[in-house]
Amino acid sequence: MRLPARPNGRIAAFLLSCLCLTALVTLPAAAAPPAPPPVFVLNSLDASVSVINPVDWTEKQRIPTGKEPHHIYMTPDEKSVIVANSAGDSLTFLDPRTAEVQRVVYGIIDPYQLQFSRDMKWFVTAANRLNHVDVYRWDGKDLKLAKRIATGKTPSHIWIDNTSTVAYVTMQDSDELIAVDLPTQTVRWRMATGAMPADIFGAHNDKTLLVGLTGSDGVQVFDVAGAQPKLVGKIPTGKGAHAFRSAGDGKTVFVSNRVANTISRIDLATLKVVANYNVPGGPDCMDVSADGKTLYVTSRWAKKLTVVDLASQKVVRQINVGRSPHGVWTLDHAKRI
């Protein structure tokens, strides 16, 4: 019986190449990695949001909002990011991944600052020009006003404690810090501060509050563990101390010094400055990348988003945005507490 002839070398190579090509054709194409979520910058004087692509660092679109969008906050389910339009008396809900406008809620009076409680039951806004704080109930979708509380002059920033029972609010022009009891919507106490108190950051299990003094050159430290607050110190940082952002490591927090054109990093254990970064253009609000390597800063007077490399402590780029950029936010962020 004759055996079939063994194919020669050229034929074998041809057959092998055909098999490989067939395998390549039948393999599914590798899925492209998802695009990273954008960086949002609020342009307060342009009534818009700049949407920044964090890959090529270009402004990919500009979304119209209500008048004077100043601050931005995420819904507890992370499905929406809310832009508070203070002079437009409205909230714009955006998709944090696609920047699509989901809905606009009207009738929210002068929402300059905004914050959710950690138990997701309360939503608090500070009416900067109308001198009141609004406490809303939140059911996961809609807001219902529980009470409007008259305050001192120019309520500015909010910090809600980890028990979701107290909202601390600064009064920018009457130089005060107040504590609002959320279950009863009443003012627990009122405390004098230094000049033009702005942002608040809770430390030491919210028994300590840091308050930035925009009209001074540092951060006041308050002990709020007892029934009445106590001023226990001041941390020199720089002129125009304004906004805070946790570094995400649970150990340090950044504060922007808007007049000094610097950002200070404060050690929460010692309550001392451990690093300073030069950031031009009136640094204001901040966010930190998820890996903790990059700081995003709005340069309020320069119409730019400034990007700082934290390892080198250097500004690595600036992106043109609209007028008076204020809030900045991205879904790809480090822990905020």
Side-chain angles (χ1 to χ4, degrees), residues 172-255:
Q172 180 179 311
D173 290 326
S174 57
D175 298 339
E176 295 174 290
L177 173 67
I178 69 170
V180 175
D181 183 86
L182 292 176
T184 63
Q185 299 98 52
T186 57
V187 176
R188 286 189 181 184
W189 50 253
R190 188 178 295 270
M191 177 75 176
T193 68
M196 295 182 66
D199 204 4
I200 313 167
F201 187 83
H204 310 151
N205 199 29
D206 284 337
K207 294 178 181 178
T208 302
L209 293 184
L210 307 182
V211 176
L213 299 179
T214 304
S216 184
D217 60 357
V219 172
Q220 283 186 316
V221 182
F222 292 89
D223 180 349
V224 293
Q228 292 296 317
K230 299 176 183 177
L231 175 62
V232 294
K234 182 179 177 181
I235 308 168
T237 59
K239 290 184 178 180
H242 189 73
F244 293 103
R245 175 59 167 93
S246 169
D249 56 5
K251 299 177 181 179
T252 57
V253 64
F254 298 104
V255 61

Side-chain angles (χ1 to χ4, degrees), residues 23-32:
L24 288 172
V25 170
T26 56
L27 283 174

Side-chain angles (χ1 to χ4, degrees), residues 93 103 105 108 116 120-121 123 136-145:
F93 285 66
R103 60 175 169 146
V105 177
I108 308 298
F116 280 99
M120 308 179 190
K121 294 180 180 179
F123 179 76
Y136 293 87
R137 289 186 174 89
W138 168 259
D139 64 5
K141 181 181 178 182
D142 295 315
L143 298 168
K144 182 179 181 180
L145 182 64

Side-chain angles (χ1 to χ4, degrees), residues 10 46 78 88 100 163 170 185 196 211 240 284 292 303 307 327-328:
R10 289 184 178 179
D46 284 339
E78 298 192 350
E100 177 186 1
T163 67
T170 51
Q185 299 98 52
M196 295 182 66
V211 176
D284 203 312
K303 297 190 294 184
V307 181
V328 58

Side-chain angles (χ1 to χ4, degrees), residues 65-320:
T65 64
K67 291 182 179 179
E68 292 192 31
H70 285 286
H71 293 101
I72 186 168
Y73 206 84
M74 191 171 189
T75 56
D77 60 10
E78 298 192 350
K79 293 181 179 179
S80 302
V81 61
I82 304 175
V83 176
N85 309 306
S86 62
D89 295 339
S90 64
L91 304 174
T92 302
F93 285 66
L94 302 175
D95 187 309
R97 295 166 179 82
T98 67
E100 177 186 1
V101 176
Q102 298 170 326
R103 60 175 169 146
V104 179
V105 177
Y106 296 97
I108 308 298
I109 306 302
D110 190 16
Y112 174 77
Q113 233 314 359
L114 68 167
Q115 193 169 126
F116 280 99
S117 62
R118 298 181 206 179
D119 66 2
M120 308 179 190
K121 294 180 180 179
W122 304 103
F123 179 76
V124 181
T125 62
N128 190 254
R129 60 188 166 85
L130 298 178
N131 300 335
H132 67 251
V133 166
D134 283 345
V135 180
Y136 293 87
R137 289 186 174 89
W138 168 259
D139 64 5
K141 181 181 178 182
D142 295 315
L143 298 168
K144 182 179 181 180
L145 182 64
K147 191 172 182 180
R148 177 161 294 152
I149 303 167
T151 64
K153 293 174 65 176
T154 323
S156 183
H157 287 68
I158 305 162
W159 179 269
I160 299 178
D161 76 339
N162 57 19
T163 67
S164 299
T165 58
V166 184
Y168 301 100
V169 188
T170 51
M171 301 296 126
Q172 180 179 311
D173 290 326
S174 57
D175 298 339
E176 295 174 290
L177 173 67
I178 69 170
V180 175
D181 183 86
L182 292 176
T184 63
Q185 299 98 52
T186 57
V187 176
R188 286 189 181 184
W189 50 253
R190 188 178 295 270
M191 177 75 176
T193 68
M196 295 182 66
D199 204 4
I200 313 167
F201 187 83
H204 310 151
N205 199 29
D206 284 337
K207 294 178 181 178
T208 302
L209 293 184
L210 307 182
V211 176
L213 299 179
T214 304
S216 184
D217 60 357
V219 172
Q220 283 186 316
V221 182
F222 292 89
D223 180 349
V224 293
Q228 292 296 317
K230 299 176 183 177
L231 175 62
V232 294
K234 182 179 177 181
I235 308 168
T237 59
K239 290 184 178 180
H242 189 73
F244 293 103
R245 175 59 167 93
S246 169
D249 56 5
K251 299 177 181 179
T252 57
V253 64
F254 298 104
V255 61
S256 57
N257 306 303
R258 202 159 64 182
V259 178
N261 286 318
T262 62
I263 289 173
S264 300
R265 190 170 192 157
I266 298 172
D267 184 287
L268 294 174
T270 64
L271 295 180
K272 293 182 178 180
V273 172
V274 293
N276 283 297
Y277 311 83
N278 293 317
V279 178
D284 203 312
C285 292
M286 298 167 284
D287 209 352
V288 180
S289 62
D291 59 11
K293 295 180 179 180
T294 307
L295 184 67
Y296 310 118
V297 187
T298 50
S299 288
R300 192 77 179 272
W301 317 132
K303 297 190 294 184
K304 295 181 185 297
L305 172 67
T306 298
V307 181
V308 179
D309 177 74
L310 291 173
S312 65
Q313 302 187 13
K314 301 291 186 182
V315 171
V316 292
R317 60 178 51 86
Q318 289 190 302
I319 302 96
N320 293 328

